[in-house]
Amino acid sequence: MCLYHTQGKCTMMDDLVHLDKFNHDCSKELQVNIAGLSKVHSQNHDFFLVLDLEGKVEILEFPVLKISAKTLKVEDIFHRFVRPSNMSEQRINEYIEGKYGKIGVDRVWHDTAIPFKEVIEEFEAWLVQQKLWTGGNLDRAAFVTCGNWDLKTKVPQQCEVSRIKVPPYFMEWINLKDIYLNFYNRRATGMVTMMKELQMPLVGSHHLGIDDPKNITRVLQHMLVDGALIQITARRNPKSLREVSFFFKNRI
């Protein structure tokens, strides 16, 4: 996958060698058999925003795939590399080399990474362009994560570091692991476990932000075709951001 293209920054769209070497359409990897759509139940949302953040100290990568709840197709993608705001340049270089150097993504990260505050500004413009947000909660859409960490813990931490308020659209989400547990009556500790149990091969590089949402999307698509209802599992109290309610009795 061309990681410049996922961020809207590819300058080689006229280069046939480049186009032959790199994929520029992630939806090709996430096709669903049309016959399976007849089994998909009506959902509470029109779209799912599959999100999987990368970065333990600060967020390094912010990828979101927009999935139609009716067709299960990838309708759009938002992807940004994020430059830490509370680290020295030496520490950033060490951090990125350790995280991305082995898979050859360190160069594109350095070329394109922007501060988290700017990522959020661009993400909000994308949400508006997609007609999913007009201020407040999301319209017709919900975030899907593999666990609660991304939105319960990491986003508030990063917002504090970046000195911005937690955006209102991050107040609720769907933890796919909880849906999986309650639908299949099987406990899966993470994305890889779910994929193994569903006999789905892992594609791409695990813990490369743009690849993990693709694999989570494949699990989501599989569950939808199996007839699962994908519903909100957690909601934050907007008046007390550390207070989160969980809606499933059985949860990971």
Side-chain angles (χ1 to χ4, degrees):
M1 191 76 195
C2 175
L3 297 180
Y4 291 95
H5 179 72
T6 60
Q7 302 176 83
K9 298 176 181 179
C10 180
T11 60
M12 302 180 68
M13 295 301 289
D14 295 328
D15 187 326
L16 296 180
V17 174
H18 174 77
L19 294 178
D20 184 61
K21 184 177 181 180
F22 293 99
N23 178 20
H24 289 72
D25 181 8
C26 73
S27 65
K28 290 181 180 180
E29 304 168 299
L30 300 166
Q31 299 291 334
V32 176
N33 190 330
I34 296 177
L37 295 178
S38 62
K39 303 175 185 177
V40 177
H41 287 185
S42 177
Q43 301 292 317
N44 297 328
H45 302 90
D46 293 336
F47 302 99
F48 299 114
L49 300 180
V50 180
L51 174 147
D52 191 78
L53 303 174
E54 289 296 332
K56 293 181 179 180
V57 181
E58 289 194 44
I59 294 174
L60 298 177
E61 197 172 351
F62 188 103
V64 178
L65 270 61
K66 178 188 175 187
I67 314 299
S68 168
K70 293 181 180 179
T71 67
L72 311 192
K73 291 181 179 180
V74 179
E75 296 212 345
D76 209 336
I77 182 173
F78 179 89
H79 178 224
R80 296 293 185 273
F81 285 113
V82 188
R83 175 170 288 277
S85 56
N86 235 11
M87 289 185 189
S88 67
E89 282 300 312
Q90 180 180 349
R91 180 69 184 97
I92 288 175
N93 290 336
E94 293 171 352
Y95 195 21
I96 297 309
E97 176 60 29
K99 173 69 178 173
Y100 293 120
K102 291 182 291 185
I103 54 177
V105 179
D106 48 332
R107 178 180 174 182
V108 63
W109 189 95
H110 283 292
D111 284 349
T112 61
I114 58 177
F116 183 73
K117 182 178 179 181
E118 293 180 30
V119 170
I120 289 299
E121 291 171 353
E122 293 186 7
F123 182 58
E124 291 180 352
W126 181 81
L127 288 173
V128 171
Q129 186 264 329
Q130 296 292 320
K131 299 181 180 179
L132 299 178
W133 185 65
T134 55
N137 296 329
L138 292 178
D139 298 328
R140 305 177 297 122
F143 288 105
V144 175
T145 60
C146 188
N148 293 306
W149 176 84
D150 300 84
L151 294 182
K152 175 180 179 291
T153 303
K154 197 59 196 176
V155 162
Q157 286 179 350
Q158 186 65 59
C159 287
E160 184 174 352
V161 169
S162 300
R163 299 180 182 179
I164 62 174
K165 293 182 179 180
V166 176
Y169 43 80
F170 284 141
M171 295 299 155
E172 61 181 24
W173 60 90
I174 297 165
N175 177 1
L176 198 61
K177 291 193 288 188
D178 286 352
I179 302 293
Y180 185 97
L181 170 62
N182 286 272
F183 181 67
Y184 293 117
N185 198 27
R186 298 197 302 264
R187 180 176 292 270
T189 56
M191 178 190 77
V192 173
T193 305
M194 288 190 285
M195 297 186 74
K196 285 181 179 178
E197 291 188 351
L198 296 174
Q199 298 182 341
M200 304 173 68
L202 186 74
V203 297
S205 300
H206 188 26
H207 292 312
L208 173 60
I210 193 59
D211 284 344
D212 281 353
K214 292 178 188 176
N215 284 310
I216 296 169
T217 293
R218 292 169 65 226
V219 174
L220 172 65
Q221 291 170 327
H222 194 292
M223 293 179 66
L224 285 164
V225 169
D226 280 353
L229 176 63
I230 311 298
Q231 55 189 316
I232 297 295
T233 62
R235 181 173 292 124
R236 175 181 285 114
N237 183 346
K239 296 181 180 179
S240 179
L241 298 182
R242 294 185 179 181
E243 182 182 327
V244 176
S245 298
F246 300 100
F247 302 137
F248 282 43
K249 181 179 179 180
N250 296 324
R251 62 188 185 87
I252 301 294

